[in-house]
Every structure is written in structure tokens, then in C-alpha cells.
Amino acid sequence: MLMRSSHVDGDLRLSLWRRVREFAVPRSMIEAATARRVAGDWAGACAVARVDVDLDLRAAARVHGAELAAEVRADLRHFAPDLLRWHMPRMAPDGLLRAGLTVTLARYGVSGAGTVHLVARTAPAWADAAQRISLALWTGHATDRDVHPHPHPDRRFRLDLHRPMWDARHAPDLAARAGAQHWPPPRGGPGTSPPGEPGAVPRGEPDGLPPGCATHRWAAEAEILRDADGRTGVPVLVRAGRRRLVLDGSATPPRVLRGPAPSYPVLPHAATWVLPDLELLRAGLIDADRLHPLVAAALRPQWTPAGAEADTDRAWRTVECGDARHRIGLRHGVLTALDHDPDEVRREELFAALGGTPSPCLRVIDAVHRDPEPLAEIRARLDHGDNDGALAAVEELLGPAAVLRDGALRDEFESAVARQVTYGLYRSGLAGRGPLKTVPQRKVNL
């Protein structure tokens, strides 16, 4: 059996994260959500970041008290939904949000049964159109089960210990929490840092760990987890790909766990892996201007936003049409053959409708309408819920007055509309527990 090397897996992981950074959180969303958040409109920021708000602060005040509701309101004022979307757990092979997940963002009240969680939820895989996220308060009541297939906060996927990933007030702390100053580890390999040095990698680290493990942060993050959960001194379970390890203490190397997993605290996913943006920057696959501004400012303190790019004229497409080279471009909002007379174009289109072979210019235009070269990019935007970005790409390609013809491009948009309907049925509760037959999701963590 052929085995892929860690280098190959690492390259695939970075390639996938680069694609996620390109399509999953569009710049237009970040700018609009930031403007509303800065203006104090946290609900408006959620709306443009495709986050559905399923909580009522007045009802929370009646049930849990005004003090708890005030804490939640204070957090929501600084909630950056676009930043949360940037850092939410994703799955291979497409980099979509991990489906059917409940992620704790903050905890309020006393520990135990009385704790109220501010949670972010993703829809099940069969209803994940638009890649929307919902925001709610979880109290452990039975009614929560009627709303979401997995209402209980996931022990592994939690961000209450990682506020820099969703709270604008703490965003500047991202570099320190990610251990940017101690990553990558020294060239001598794992365990070469002195045990007392901040961010030291545990000595004797097991072999075979997948690429991207944040071993330089495991010991420190395990202590943060123990303190937060009030379980000082207990071992911490680490799930890294298919490997399961146990951290017994800051001075003890992790040991491989075999057999059933005990009820140890689980190191959060965000603490298990190196921040993808750090890896992308280190590999030269992305520059700071392509990052979320809050992330760029944290990882590159000297970074300043680049100015807007100057508008440039679109280059004409050229086609060998008979013995001449003709131009194809936008005219009156429609992609057309610029060097053909309008009457000639209409005759050619009628000739093609009757079964004839039109001129090369019209054949190229028809092909662009049905199966354009940027189809993969448009499909990626639709998959990540960026319908506006996909429409903008089509308008740039075909013109704002274009009518889609039968073909792969139209099929993608029709499929996106159908998925939106399914999501609407899920949100309204009319779809029940889901379709009769679902396609299993390939769950590979990013």
C-alpha cells in the first residue's frame, strides 16, 4: 500500500486553507460587518455575515436575570461574526464549515448545571446551503433538542477559551495565543527547547503526528483548559488526526493512548493545530493583505492596509474568426462580438437556432455562457454561500444584462437555489430530521 508523506499532506492542507481564505469569507462581507459592528449594530453585523440570531436578550433577562443578560449583551457588542466565520472549524475536501456543530463561545453563571452558554451552530450537512451560522443561548433544556440535531456544546470544538477568534476586543492577543513567536519549532526538532522556556515543545514527542500540530502550545493550552474547567492536575486528551495522546503535565512528554478514552478534558481543536494563517504566511502562500484585517494586525503588527487597487480597463478577448482576429467584449451590458454588425449577429443567432453552425465568435460566446473557464471559482463561491460574489463574477464575465443559457453554469446556480430552499425548510422545522437519504460527509479536520 502506498503511503503519502507528511510533506505531501502538509502541502495539501495548506493548499486547501489557501482556497478557504480566498472564498469562505469575502472581503465585502468583512467590510460590511466591520462597519456595522463599529457603529454598535451587532445584529446588523450578524446579518451581513450570514449569522442567524436565535436569542432574545429580554427573555434571557427574565429567565436568567438582568446581570447575566448584561454580560451577554456586552459580549455581543464586540462580537465579530466575520472573524468567527474566519476561524470556525472546517472539513476537507472542500473547506466547508463542519456540519451539525455546536461551539461554545462564552459561558455565564456558575459552573455546572446552571451555566449558560453562548453558542454558534452550523446546520446539518443536508441543509448547509449558504454556509450559515446561528447564534443562540444554550441552557441544557430539552427544548434545545428540537432546534438542532446536536444541541449540546462540543467538548472538542469550543472557543470560550479562544476569544481572539471571535471577540474584537481580544483579537490583538491572537499571535500570543497561537504561539507565533515560538513557531515553527527549533531546527533541532521537538524537545530541543529548555523545559522552562515559554512555548517549549514537550521532550520525547511521539512520531507520526500529522502536519500542522501545535505541539509548541500543547502544554500551556492544557493548563489553561485545566484552570478553566477547575480540574487542576488531571490528564488532558489530545486528538490529532487519528492519533490520541495524553498530556499528564507540563514537564511530561505526551504519551500515546490505546484503548477506550477516559473522561479526561479534551484539548480544544483550536489549540491542537497551528493557526492556518501562520502556516500560510510562513510558506509565502498568502500575504497580510489577504488576511482578515484583525488577524493581519495581530500576526503582523507593522502591517497597514493596502490602498484600493486602481481601476483598469478590461482587456478584450480575441477570436480567430475566418481570416480575421475579432474582439469579444461587453456592449450594453451583454457579452457580444464587437467586430460583427448587430444585424449580422442576429442572423447568426437565428441560423444557430435553426441548427446551423454559427461563426467562431458566437461559438466562443455560447461556450462562455454554458461552461466558462472561471466556473470552478464561481462554484467555490456558491459552495461557501457567497452568492453575491458568484453573481458579481458572472456579471463581470457575461455582463449584467446577460441571460444564462442551459449548461454547467446555469446548473450551478439552480443547484444553489435548491439548497437555499432546503436550508429554509430546515430553519422553519418543516424538513423534520432531514431527507430520507443523506450523503455521508467526509469528516476530515482542517
Side-chain angles (χ1 to χ4, degrees):
M1 181 176 65
L2 296 176
M3 301 293 289
R4 291 190 307 187
S5 67
S6 295
H7 178 72
V8 172
D9 288 338
D11 288 345
L12 290 175
R13 181 172 183 269
L14 290 184
S15 176
L16 187 54
W17 270 112
R18 184 184 184 186
R19 186 173 179 82
V20 169
R21 292 301 181 240
E22 183 177 0
F23 297 113
V25 190
R27 183 65 51 179
S28 58
M29 173 190 290
I30 295 173
E31 292 172 353
T34 299
R36 284 162 174 76
R37 173 176 56 79
V38 171
D41 182 11
W42 66 268
C46 288
V48 298
R50 300 199 300 274
V51 174
D52 299 311
V53 179
D54 293 335
L55 57 86
D56 185 334
L57 290 177
R58 291 183 180 178
R62 290 194 301 269
V63 176
H64 305 292
E67 184 176 348
L68 186 144
E71 290 184 54
V72 177
R73 185 179 290 106
D75 281 341
L76 291 177
R77 287 197 185 104
H78 301 279
F79 174 52
D82 50 312
L83 185 62
L84 172 66
R85 180 176 292 277
W86 187 271
H87 290 298
M88 278 289 281
R90 296 184 177 274
M91 306 296 298
D94 300 315
L96 302 182
L97 294 173
R98 185 180 177 95
L101 192 64
T102 295
V103 177
T104 294
L105 302 182
R107 296 185 293 179
Y108 311 95
V110 296
S111 300
T115 304
V116 176
H117 294 235
L118 176 66
V119 298
R121 288 170 170 161
T122 59
W126 59 268
D128 65 353
Q131 292 287 277
R132 299 188 71 90
I133 300 170
S134 62
L135 194 67
L137 290 178
W138 181 82
T139 61
H141 293 168
T143 53
D144 287 330
R145 298 191 184 92
D146 300 330
V147 179
H148 192 269
H150 304 287
H152 195 285
D154 196 292
R155 291 198 307 152
R156 183 183 178 194
F157 297 96
R158 54 187 289 189
L159 294 178
D160 56 311
L161 306 182
H162 295 270
R163 278 184 175 256
M165 293 186 169
W166 63 270
D167 189 327
R169 294 169 296 183
H170 296 268
D173 302 330
L174 181 64
R177 283 302 302 273
Q181 69 274 31
H182 296 289
W183 188 87
R187 289 187 178 182
T192 58
S193 300
E197 181 179 322
V201 180
R203 297 182 181 276
E205 179 184 314
D207 296 328
L209 291 179
C213 288
T215 53
H216 66 297
R217 286 293 301 163
W218 283 2
E221 290 291 337
E223 285 302 318
I224 293 174
L225 175 62
R226 294 186 184 103
D227 291 343
D229 289 355
R231 303 183 68 179
T232 304
V234 301
V236 171
L237 180 66
V238 180
R239 293 179 58 184
R242 296 183 178 180
R243 303 297 300 276
R244 295 183 304 163
L245 304 102
V246 175
L247 299 173
D248 292 309
S250 59
T252 307
R255 55 184 172 86
V256 177
L257 177 66
R258 294 181 174 85
S263 58
Y264 296 150
V266 180
L267 193 70
H269 180 269
T272 304
W273 303 93
V274 174
L275 189 70
D277 301 312
L278 270 180
E279 294 185 278
L280 292 171
L281 287 171
R282 176 76 180 184
L285 296 176
I286 199 172
D287 55 39
D289 287 326
R290 301 291 298 276
L291 296 177
H292 189 291
L294 293 176
V295 174
L299 299 184
R300 293 288 185 267
Q302 305 304 320
W303 170 80
T304 55
E309 296 181 3
D311 291 335
T312 57
D313 294 333
R314 278 186 67 187
W316 302 114
R317 303 162 192 250
T318 59
V319 176
E320 296 291 342
C321 188
D323 297 330
R325 180 178 288 271
H326 288 169
R327 300 170 302 156
I328 292 177
L330 298 181
R331 176 191 287 163
H332 304 305
V334 177
L335 187 66
T336 188
L338 299 176
D339 295 316
H340 287 259
D341 182 85
D343 291 335
E344 181 185 0
V345 171
R346 283 192 289 271
R347 288 196 299 270
E348 289 280 347
E349 290 176 341
L350 179 59
F351 181 58
L354 295 174
T357 302
S359 67
C361 287
L362 267 64
R363 291 203 300 269
V364 170
I365 291 173
D366 186 65
V368 172
H369 275 79
R370 300 181 190 278
D371 191 6
E373 290 182 8
L375 180 60
E377 175 184 335
I378 295 170
R379 181 185 294 118
R381 294 190 184 282
L382 291 172
D383 287 345
H384 285 283
D386 184 16
N387 295 343
D388 291 341
L391 287 172
V394 171
E395 288 185 358
E396 182 182 0
L397 181 69
L398 304 178
V403 177
L404 294 184
R405 305 173 186 179
D406 290 340
L409 180 59
R410 182 171 177 171
D411 291 344
E412 289 295 334
F413 276 93
E414 290 180 344
S415 176
V417 171
R419 295 197 301 269
Q420 291 276 12
V421 172
T422 301
Y423 177 77
L425 293 174
Y426 159 71
R427 288 282 298 170
S428 66
L430 296 177
R433 294 291 179 178
L436 295 177
K437 183 178 181 181
T438 59
V439 179
Q441 185 187 29
R442 180 186 174 191
K443 294 187 176 181
V444 181
N445 294 318
L446 296 182

